[in-house]
Amino acid sequence: MSVAGVEVVRKPAGPPVVPTGTVDEKGRPVTIACATCHATKPANPDARVGRPLVMFHQGLGGQHGNLSCASCHNPADGYASLRLADGKGVPYTDVMTLCAQCHGPQYRDYQHGAHGGMTGHWDLTKGGRARNNCVDCHAPHAPKYPTVFPAFGPNDRFQTGGGHE
Ligand code: HEC
Ligand code: HEC
Ligand code: HEC
Ligand code: HEC
């Protein structure tokens, strides 16, 4: 799929959703968008990664500095987007802008090819190349343990959004 002269950075397909565990009449999983609940529910600015929630998202564990959920999730639109420190919203597909805000050195290393790996051609005159997204390797809620995979499986959810745009 690589085209000479082109570097593509894989991106998440879009905002995450919550699975309901049920399927519709065509067998497709039924999911709920974040804003369905959070557009009306007042945001709790004290919720932090590593401090378990009790009313919902009970399984959501992790460890990421001492970050509050609102360091990344945008309460202004019912968590339909991410947010930067200045309050500006960022679509989930541009999650790397958010990571880069706090991890400048790693982001610069990434841009120089020293962090994050790639597949395809180093020399772009010979062919294109694809770069992994930060979140292909680091789960945002538990980034310490890289979920590094040498090749991407056919069902990888990031495959549709990245690499072919
Ligand atoms: C079915 C309703 C529902 C959906 C859908 C839902 N949430 Fe929540 N969420 C809740 C409830 C209820 C809490 C409060 C949990 C607690 O305090 O124990 C919560 C808490 C949170 C918090 C902690 C801060 C706060 O404001 O309470 C964040 C961040 C959050 N949700 C993000 C999301 C994201 C991102 C999505 C979409 C992937 C999502 N939620 C989908 C119901 C929902
Ligand atoms: C470092 C940034 C960051 C922090 C801090 C963070 N999140 Fe997230 N969260 C993300 C990103 C990015 C995604 C999208 C992941 C994806 O697409 O797979 C996400 C996805 C989610 C989802 C969708 C389901 C899932 O697990 O992927 C929920 C629910 C959620 N976050 C809730 C929370 C809650 C609640 C907190 C605080 C306890 C929190 N997040 C803290 C960045 C963050
Ligand atoms: C608001 C600032 C902030 C944002 C946004 C943020 N991080 Fe972090 N991150 C931190 C802090 C603070 C630590 C803990 C640093 C330490 O202990 O040295 C950390 C630690 C990490 C670590 C090292 C984990 C460990 O324990 O060794 C990785 C990897 C990481 N972050 C990746 C990411 C990725 C990927 C994103 C984007 C989804 C992201 N971060 C977004 C602040 C942030
Ligand atoms: C191909 C997988 C991969 C990608 C893509 C990737 N990383 Fe990493 N990252 C790693 C590995 C492996 C480590 C080392 C983890 C360890 O030794 O525990 C690491 C370590 C880190 C650390 C901890 C400090 C350090 O330098 O060891 C941070 C912060 C970090 N990455 C941020 C990022 C950010 C931000 C992005 C996107 C610009 C990114 N990473 C993209 C694999 C990746």
Side-chain angles (χ1 to χ4, degrees):
M1 255 329 207
S2 65
V3 178
V6 175
E7 176 182 283
V8 284
V9 176
R10 290 149 49 79
K11 288 184 174 189
V17 291
V18 170
T20 61
T22 59
V23 293
D24 67 13
E25 67 282 1
K26 293 201 170 107
R28 294 170 302 207
V30 175
T31 59
I32 319 178
C34 312
T36 305
C37 297
H38 286 288
T40 50
K41 187 186 175 308
N44 170 9
D46 298 326
R48 285 179 187 283
V49 180
R51 197 185 292 167
L53 296 172
V54 291
M55 278 149 58
F56 199 68
H57 308 301
Q58 289 96 340
L60 199 102
Q63 189 64 54
H64 194 164
N66 187 32
L67 298 187
S68 67
C69 310
S71 320
C72 299
H73 290 283
N74 191 358
D77 62 3
Y79 300 136
S81 66
L82 298 166
R83 74 185 281 272
L84 302 178
D86 65 4
K88 215 180 273 163
V90 176
Y92 278 91
T93 46
D94 292 337
V95 59
M96 281 179 55
T97 307
L98 174 73
C99 309
Q101 168 187 270
C102 297
H103 298 294
Q106 286 78 17
Y107 183 65
R108 281 190 292 277
D109 286 352
Y110 175 92
Q111 288 177 303
H112 299 141
H115 190 117
M118 65 178 68
T119 53
H121 300 262
W122 179 257
D123 179 354
L124 284 175
T125 63
K126 304 242 160 64
R129 64 180 174 237
R131 303 288 319 266
N132 295 306
N133 196 289
C134 309
V135 297
D136 288 332
C137 296
H138 299 289
H141 303 147
K144 182 166 187 176
Y145 305 102
T147 55
V148 180
F149 22 94
F152 299 105
N155 298 321
D156 175 38
R157 56 170 293 211
F158 291 106
Q159 195 83 53
T160 42
H164 307 288
E165 285 165 15

